[in-house]
Structures are given as C-alpha cells and as structure tokens.
C-alpha cells in the first residue's frame, strides 16, 4: 500500500497524540468528515496505526508519531560528515531498504546514499528471516558505500558497523548496549537490533557494500509475536515512551559514515578492542549453529580477524567465520 498525500497529511496533524476534531481535520485537508473517517480506517487496516474516536473530542492516534524528515535528520549530522552523504531518501513504505540500494548499486548509484523507511514490507535479517517492521516506530536504514578493496578485504565490516551503532546509542542513552557476534545489537541480553551487510563486486576489487540496520525504538507486542528471540526496544530499555527518531537517525549517520570512510584505511584491527568491550557472549555457555550442525562450548571472544572463538567440552578452542549463536534462551 502506498500512503496517499491526504493520509500523510492526516498523520502529520495527528502525530502529536492529541485529539483533533473531524471538522478541524476536514477543513485542514479540504475534504469531508466521512473521507477523514475512511482514511483513518485505511491507515488502521493497512498500516496498523490504530486511533481513538471520542464523541465531542474527535480523533487521536493511540501513540504519538514522529515521521522521519530529511531536514530534521540533517540537523543532527556533523558538518564533517555531510560531504560523505550523496543522498538521503525516505520512503513511507518499501519492500526492503537493502534490496532497494542493491538495485540502485547495479544501476551505478553514487557511493554515500542513505535510505530510510517508515515501514518495510519485506525487510530481511540473516538467513532470509523476515524483519518485523511496524510503521513509523523504528529505524530501518541502509547505506551504499563503494570500496576500492576486494570483498575479502572488507570481511570484518559487519563487526565494525556494530561499533558505530553502539557509539551512536551511547551518545543518546548511555553505556548500556552490547554486541552479539556477528551482527546483533543487544541490551541486557535481549536483541535490540540487527545488521545485514551485502557485498558485491569483483574478487580482486573494487566492491560495493549495502549496509542495513534495523533498530527497535518501539515494537508493539502484537507485532513482535512471531519473533523467536528475546527482544527489547528503546522504550523498554530507557522507560521513556517517546524518542526523537530524527535525532537518532542523524547520530547513526554520523557514526556509520565516519567508520565506513575510515575502514578501508584502518581495517578491523583498529576497532577490535572496542568491539570486545561490548561483547555480550564472552565466557558464556553457548551453541553455535552452522547449517544443520551445532557446536556447544564456552565463547572466548573473537580473534584478530573477527572470528568467533569457541572452547569445546574437550578443551580445544576453534575459530569460526560464520554461524549463529544461541545463549540464555535465544532460539535460532
């Protein structure tokens, strides 16, 4: 479903979470009160944006809404970072921000593109899992960056991106966030977000990376019912019912573009110590899943190439380049 201009205007008027009369809304949009009612019902049915209707008061959204806005995002972007951003696109609804930028990459789009969405209808995580994407609630972001190096040379990029995300979150909310190898954002042993890096290019270089981030700001329990992992969102973590998504989006761009622009020169080694500070798996019993095989042991952190170190029951420690780890009730 594409959101009509009338529907978007209604959302902007109701975004404050206060009651607005049908007459007020109808006059502002120059349409009938019955048309207002139909648009609101359409938003509830198609986007899950529920509203209250009270006689004598009018309509209001069940939760206040802050729509993403390029000008508001740029207010939080540092002057030194802005030249790295070639373009910002914000979609009301899109199948997947990563898929969109992969397509743009094949059409020779410039490096430095950033794509946000209010909702993804086919958002994806690792191994093709669907990423739950309620409208206007979270951060769905993908970046396109072109490297002169080969895909193998940037193999540690997803870990480095995790460091950038943690930096952005810390600047807004404090030192309470963690990383779970290889590409999940955690807080208090619950998943807060995920990273998906897709790389294409010649084996000897150059290559292009599309870097996707899904971050839970507010995730309704009904929407999250199908999630098999323990999850959390920023509203639960901070106890704050509202968050400035535009400011958070701007700070994410600051940290992501800073690290991406440095990574080809500095490599993963410059970020390993910081990544290890945020490691939520270190010294925990865990199970590593690779395809149809599972390996149990104690996680001993990561090596200097970013590989997972797992000490098995026989005492041998082995490094793994890929896989998924479950611990403390996680379900893979």
């Amino acid at each position: 479903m594409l959101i009509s201009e009338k529907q978007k205007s209604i959302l902007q008027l109701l975004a404050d979470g206060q009651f607005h009369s049908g007459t007020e809304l109808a006059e502002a949009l120059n349409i009938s009160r019955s048309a207002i009612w139909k648009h609101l019902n359409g938003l509830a049915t198609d986007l899950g944006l529920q509203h209250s209707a009270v006689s004598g008061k009018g309509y209001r959204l069940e939760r206040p809404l802050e729509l993403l806005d390029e000008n508001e995002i740029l207010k939080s972007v540092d002057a030194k970072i802005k030249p790295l951003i070639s373009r910002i696109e914000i979609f009301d609804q899109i199948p997947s921000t990563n898929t969109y930028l992969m397509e743009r990459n094949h059409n020779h789009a410039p490096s430095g593109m950033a794509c946000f969405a209010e909702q993804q209808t086919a958002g994806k995580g690792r191994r093709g899992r669907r990423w739950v994407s309620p409208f206007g609630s979270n951060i769905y972001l993908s970046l396109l960056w072109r490297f002169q190096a080969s895909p193998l040379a940037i193999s540690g990029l997803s870990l480095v991106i995790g460091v950038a995300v943690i930096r952005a979150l810390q600047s807004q909310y404090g030192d309470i966030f963690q990383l779970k190898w290889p590409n999940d954002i955690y807080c208090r042993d619950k998943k807060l977000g995920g990273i998906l890096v897709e790389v294409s290019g010649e084996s000897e270089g150059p290559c292009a990376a599309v870097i996707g981030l899904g971050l839970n700001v507010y995730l309704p329990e009904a929407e999250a019912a199908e999630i098999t992992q323990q999850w959390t969102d920023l509203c639960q973590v901070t106890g704050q019912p509202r968050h400035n998504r535009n400011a958070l989006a701007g700070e994410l761009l600051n940290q992501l573009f800073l690290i991406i622009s440095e990574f080809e020169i500095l490599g993963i080694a410059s970020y390993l110590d910081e990544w290890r500070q945020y490691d939520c798996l270190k010294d925990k019993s865990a199970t590593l899943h690779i395809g149809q095989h599972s390996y149990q042991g104690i996680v001993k952190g990561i090596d200097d190439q970013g590989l997972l170190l797992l000490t098995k029951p026989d005492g041998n420690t082995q490094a793994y380049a890929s896989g998924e780890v479950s611990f403390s009730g996680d379900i893979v």
Side-chain angles (χ1 to χ4, degrees):
M1 171 207 171
L2 292 176
I3 303 171
S4 71
E5 287 302 315
K6 295 294 187 185
Q7 287 174 318
K8 193 160 187 180
S9 296
I10 292 172
L11 287 180
Q12 290 168 338
L13 290 168
L14 295 179
D16 58 8
Q18 303 300 312
F19 278 106
H20 295 265
S21 71
T23 300
E24 173 192 343
L25 297 173
E27 289 178 352
L29 275 66
N30 195 29
I31 58 177
S32 68
R33 292 177 61 182
S34 63
I36 294 290
W37 179 84
K38 288 180 181 178
H39 282 309
L40 284 169
N41 282 342
L43 290 169
T45 301
D46 297 322
L47 297 182
L49 291 174
Q50 303 300 323
H51 63 275
S52 300
V54 177
S55 178
K57 289 188 175 182
Y59 302 99
R60 74 172 179 185
L61 294 176
E62 285 194 352
R63 284 182 55 83
L65 187 69
E66 181 197 13
L67 297 176
L68 294 173
D69 178 270
E70 181 177 352
N71 291 329
E72 291 299 315
I73 291 172
L74 287 173
K75 287 179 182 178
S76 298
V77 176
D78 295 341
K80 65 181 180 181
I81 298 298
K82 288 180 180 178
L84 301 176
I85 304 173
S86 61
R87 184 174 182 180
I88 294 176
E89 293 188 88
I90 301 172
F91 291 90
D92 295 324
Q93 194 178 68
I94 194 173
S96 161
T97 56
N98 257 39
T99 298
Y100 173 74
L101 284 189
M102 290 292 287
E103 293 170 352
R104 292 300 309 273
N105 170 48
H106 295 320
N107 292 322
H108 310 293
S111 184
M113 283 190 66
C115 174
F116 290 92
E118 296 289 4
Q119 184 177 48
Q120 297 182 113
T121 58
K124 55 187 177 180
R126 279 174 59 85
R127 299 169 69 179
R129 289 194 185 95
R130 175 177 174 265
W131 191 270
V132 176
S133 305
F135 182 88
S137 298
N138 302 313
I139 297 290
Y140 317 118
L141 164 65
S142 294
L143 309 178
L144 170 63
W145 192 263
R146 300 190 181 280
F147 295 92
Q148 293 305 307
S150 69
L152 183 61
I154 63 166
S155 59
L157 181 60
S158 65
L159 272 69
V160 173
I161 294 300
V163 170
V165 176
I166 295 294
R167 288 179 180 178
L169 290 169
Q170 285 182 337
S171 73
Q172 303 283 306
Y173 305 108
D175 187 14
I176 56 175
F177 302 97
Q178 305 160 299
L179 291 170
K180 178 189 170 190
W181 185 91
N183 54 13
D184 285 338
I185 313 300
Y186 263 57
C187 186
R188 298 165 188 155
D189 290 341
K190 294 182 179 180
K191 186 170 179 176
L192 180 70
I195 296 160
L196 178 64
V197 176
E198 299 181 273
V199 179
S200 62
E202 302 298 325
S203 59
E204 300 300 321
C207 68
V210 172
I211 300 151
L213 170 67
L215 191 66
N216 298 334
V217 180
Y218 169 69
L219 193 57
E221 299 230 3
E223 297 270 3
E226 65 186 81
I227 299 176
T228 56
Q229 294 171 294
Q230 295 188 57
W231 60 270
T232 191
D233 58 33
L234 289 176
C235 289
Q236 292 185 38
V237 166
T238 64
Q240 301 173 17
R242 297 184 67 176
H243 294 268
N244 188 328
R245 287 197 304 143
N246 283 298
L248 176 57
E251 185 57 23
L252 284 166
L253 293 182
N254 282 331
Q255 300 300 336
L256 287 166
F257 275 109
L258 175 63
I259 272 190
I260 293 168
S261 64
E262 296 176 340
F263 177 68
E264 196 165 6
I265 299 170
L266 300 179
I268 191 174
S270 297
Y271 305 97
L272 286 172
D273 287 344
E274 186 174 356
W275 195 99
R276 288 167 175 144
Q277 293 176 26
Y278 310 137
D279 187 356
C280 71
L281 289 175
K282 182 74 180 294
D283 296 326
K284 289 188 176 182
S285 298
T287 302
L288 176 67
H289 305 266
I290 304 177
Q292 301 301 313
H293 301 283
S294 298
Y295 306 93
Q296 294 183 332
I298 305 295
V299 175
K300 291 299 180 181
I302 58 173
D303 69 8
D304 288 346
Q305 284 71 51
L307 306 186
L308 181 78
L309 298 173
L310 186 71
T311 300
K312 298 179 180 179
D314 63 6
N316 290 323
T317 299
Q318 188 168 344
Y320 294 89
S322 63
E324 296 199 40
V325 183
S326 62
F327 76 108
S328 301
D330 266 352
I331 301 174
V332 173

